[in-house]
Amino acid sequence: MELENIRRVYLIGIGGIGMSGLARYFKKRGCVVCGYDKTCTPLTAALMNEGIPVVFQDEADNIPMSFQEKDAHTLIIYTPAIPKDSHILNHFKSGGFSFKKRSEVLGIISKGMFTIAVAGTHGKTTTSSMIAHVLKDSGYDCSAFLGGIASNYNSNVLFGENNTMVVEADEFDRSFLTLHPDIAIVTSMDADHLDIYGDKSHLVESFKQFTSQLKPGGKLLYRNGLDLKNGETYAANAVADIQAVNVRVENGSFHFDFKNDELIIENIEMGLPGLHNIENAVAAAEVALKLGIRPDKIRGALGNFKGVKRRFEYVVRSEDYVYIDDYAHHPEELRACIQAVRTLYPNKKLTTVFQPHLFTRTRDFAEGFAEVLGMTDELIMLDIYPARELPIAGVNSEMILDKIDLAEKRILSKNDVVDYVREEKPELLLTVGAGDIDTLIEPLKKILENA
């Protein structure tokens, strides 16, 4: 299906971060856009405010009349997270409508564009948002499809006037294999999505296939230490083709110097903490240099980059209380997040609230979660957020908690977490997870702001 022929788009799972970006994109193109999701969220509310109708009952009767009859100008986009017995999904399937996964649509959109694709089991959302911001802020411009809400733009999709597109390349369900980028960045290849891949070796093979799909003359950047070839490596405080050197913390902010074979950009101040974000910035700076963007423009853009919602996001930052929220849901993401908090606040007691995401991920990485969560001072765990999965016997939050040697650890419901924070008022609070733990942000924010 060609983009020019699409006039009506229905998105099943429209509330997902990637799906909502596509909804906004097709609305901008002048298409009739609507969709279904099972839960009303701030993101679906934002879509409705932008004139995109969303329904929350999985019933075929809720589908608008303009989508009842199949035609050559109607596209149905779905996410693999939608259950196979969905009434809306099966209505369109039985009607013979044109169906595309979100990843396939990104492949169609990027066709013919200069595409910068960022892949990785973690780090891809911040890195792609950072690259898009440098291109926007410097005046180079781009369009972008991001896996989070970029705080500088309060959106997950950016529209540009040139032929350059930045896209987050998702490894889940091998989705990124629909892309053929001009520049590819790989931030990490830690074992994840083992329900899809079976083991890490198959995940790595999929990443290698992704990097082999570069267009002729394309460039590959990957974090030093990854099992990849035919590209340039980058790192923070380690030997690589492209490096961050002289990394330091000054006045509560991370600073570093960028260095490659040709030049040094001195004293870049980062608005985001942590060595992992320094690495992300090194990759973003190198991409910008390859596009001919001036070093001073790169330094300025990285300095005013505000990050991504739910990626080390300061919710409260006062003299008495600090509350940080993060999307981390893999042991290595949690490690990077907790280490960054520890670096910035070495003398404060850290209370961490963690919601495991998926039964399979909890089962596969229970030891890793226990090791990393043991780095906190006080741990509160929520029950596992199942997302697309059914429960697995014996897999629960207790299996992680029992492995952690902490004096202060407990499992609470979300309501009990609110009561606990109201009573204890922790001086340094971190909420982490990829499920619905974000519904705690506003209640906890109000408590600590009014404490």
Side-chain angles (χ1 to χ4, degrees):
M1 177 175 279
E2 298 296 324
L3 276 177
E4 291 71 22
N5 293 333
I6 300 171
R7 297 176 190 168
R8 284 174 293 280
V9 180
Y10 195 100
L11 297 100
I12 310 174
I14 194 171
I17 194 70
M19 293 284 279
S20 61
L22 288 177
R24 286 167 163 156
Y25 170 81
F26 282 107
K27 176 73 172 177
K28 176 82 170 178
R29 287 184 64 89
C31 297
V32 174
V33 179
C34 55
Y36 156 78
D37 210 285
K38 65 178 181 179
T39 307
C40 180
T41 65
L43 190 45
T44 56
L47 292 177
M48 289 188 283
N49 287 335
E50 294 164 24
I52 300 173
V54 181
V55 297
F56 302 99
Q57 295 79 37
D58 184 17
E59 299 169 3
D61 290 346
N62 288 325
I63 299 170
M65 288 300 297
S66 57
F67 288 87
Q68 291 290 344
E69 298 294 331
K70 164 190 161 185
D71 68 35
H73 304 294
T74 299
L75 173 64
I76 312 301
I77 308 174
Y78 72 102
T79 169
I82 293 295
K84 290 182 172 57
D85 61 356
S86 162
H87 296 295
I88 290 177
L89 179 71
N90 285 300
H91 168 84
F92 286 121
K93 277 188 173 179
S94 61
F97 282 78
S98 178
F99 262 84
K100 297 287 183 187
K101 288 183 183 178
R102 180 185 70 86
S103 56
E104 293 175 303
V105 178
L106 282 177
I108 293 170
I109 294 171
S110 65
K111 184 180 176 182
M113 297 190 76
F114 186 93
T115 302
I116 302 164
V118 184
T121 47
H122 39 264
K124 57 183 175 288
T125 297
T126 299
T127 306
S128 56
S129 300
M130 205 178 277
I131 292 170
H133 174 65
V134 174
L135 269 56
K136 283 283 190 185
D137 191 74
S138 66
Y140 186 93
D141 204 13
C142 68
S143 298
F145 288 88
L146 309 172
I149 304 297
S151 296
N152 290 78
Y153 309 94
N154 198 33
S155 183
N156 54 345
V157 60
L158 307 179
F159 301 99
E161 300 298 326
N162 64 4
N163 196 43
T164 300
M165 185 171 99
V166 179
V167 62
E168 182 171 324
D170 189 2
E171 76 281 358
F172 175 73
D173 202 27
R174 297 178 172 85
S175 293
F176 56 2
L177 299 183
T178 62
L179 299 170
H180 295 79
D182 296 270
I183 299 177
I185 301 93
V186 180
T187 62
S188 52
M189 297 192 307
D190 292 301
D192 200 4
H193 302 302
L194 298 187
D195 54 325
I196 301 293
Y197 289 101
D199 57 37
K200 183 178 178 179
S201 67
H202 288 94
L203 178 140
V204 171
E205 283 305 312
S206 194
F207 272 92
K208 289 180 176 179
Q209 185 177 341
F210 165 71
T211 60
S212 74
Q213 294 181 176
L214 279 165
K215 291 175 188 170
K219 304 292 184 183
L220 170 64
L221 304 176
Y222 60 93
R223 186 171 61 81
N224 189 51
L226 299 183
D227 182 19
L228 294 172
K229 296 178 181 178
N230 303 319
E232 296 174 280
T233 60
Y234 67 89
N237 272 0
V239 177
D241 298 320
I242 309 142
Q243 307 172 52
V245 297
N246 193 21
V247 177
R248 62 232 184 248
V249 177
E250 296 177 1
N251 301 318
S253 296
F254 279 74
H255 295 245
F256 71 98
D257 300 338
F258 171 94
K259 180 182 178 183
N260 65 15
D261 287 341
E262 298 178 354
L263 56 79
I264 294 175
I265 307 175
E266 293 183 335
N267 196 31
I268 297 173
E269 179 180 358
M270 285 292 298
L272 303 183
L275 273 179
H276 60 300
N277 281 319
I278 299 289
E279 285 185 337
N280 297 338
V282 169
E286 181 64 22
V287 169
L289 288 170
K290 290 185 184 304
L291 298 177
I293 297 172
R294 296 199 329 248
D296 61 314
K297 294 281 191 181
I298 296 170
R299 183 194 295 111
L302 291 175
N304 65 43
F305 178 62
K306 296 178 182 178
V308 181
K309 297 288 186 184
R310 301 216 63 228
R311 268 65 171 188
F312 210 95
E313 181 181 8
Y314 280 98
V315 181
V316 176
R317 196 177 189 180
S318 67
E319 187 174 329
D320 297 318
Y321 301 104
V322 175
Y323 171 21
I324 297 164
D325 177 63
D326 196 278
Y327 189 70
H329 55 284
H330 182 280
E332 292 309 309
E333 294 171 341
L334 283 168
R335 187 189 307 278
C337 180
I338 292 173
Q339 285 177 340
V341 176
R342 288 297 200 191
T343 301
L344 290 171
Y345 303 102
N347 301 318
K348 289 184 180 290
K349 178 184 176 181
L350 173 58
T351 299
T352 299
V353 183
F354 175 58
Q355 181 186 46
H357 183 262
L358 299 179
F359 291 99
T360 53
R361 185 180 283 123
T362 303
R363 177 198 64 197
D364 295 339
F365 302 112
E367 294 287 346
F369 281 124
E371 177 203 342
V372 175
L373 290 168
M375 296 163 56
T376 192
D377 296 309
E378 179 180 20
L379 176 63
I380 299 170
M381 290 192 62
L382 302 176
D383 287 332
I384 296 171
Y385 184 81
R388 58 187 179 270
E389 294 185 339
L390 295 173
I392 298 174
V395 177
N396 50 43
S397 292
E398 284 87 347
M399 72 183 294
I400 296 175
L401 203 70
D402 290 346
K403 299 175 188 292
I404 300 174
D405 185 20
L406 276 180
E408 298 183 71
K409 60 178 184 177
R410 55 185 58 80
I411 293 176
L412 296 177
S413 69
K414 287 191 292 183
N415 286 337
D416 288 339
V417 169
V418 174
D419 292 338
Y420 185 84
V421 170
R422 184 181 291 112
E423 182 70 25
E424 298 296 328
K425 297 180 177 61
E427 62 174 349
L428 178 58
L429 178 64
L430 172 66
T431 52
V432 275
D436 63 358
I437 191 172
D438 59 329
T439 59
L440 287 175
I441 296 173
E442 283 304 316
L444 299 184
K445 177 182 178 182
K446 287 179 182 177
I447 291 169
L448 295 179
E449 282 185 336
N450 295 312

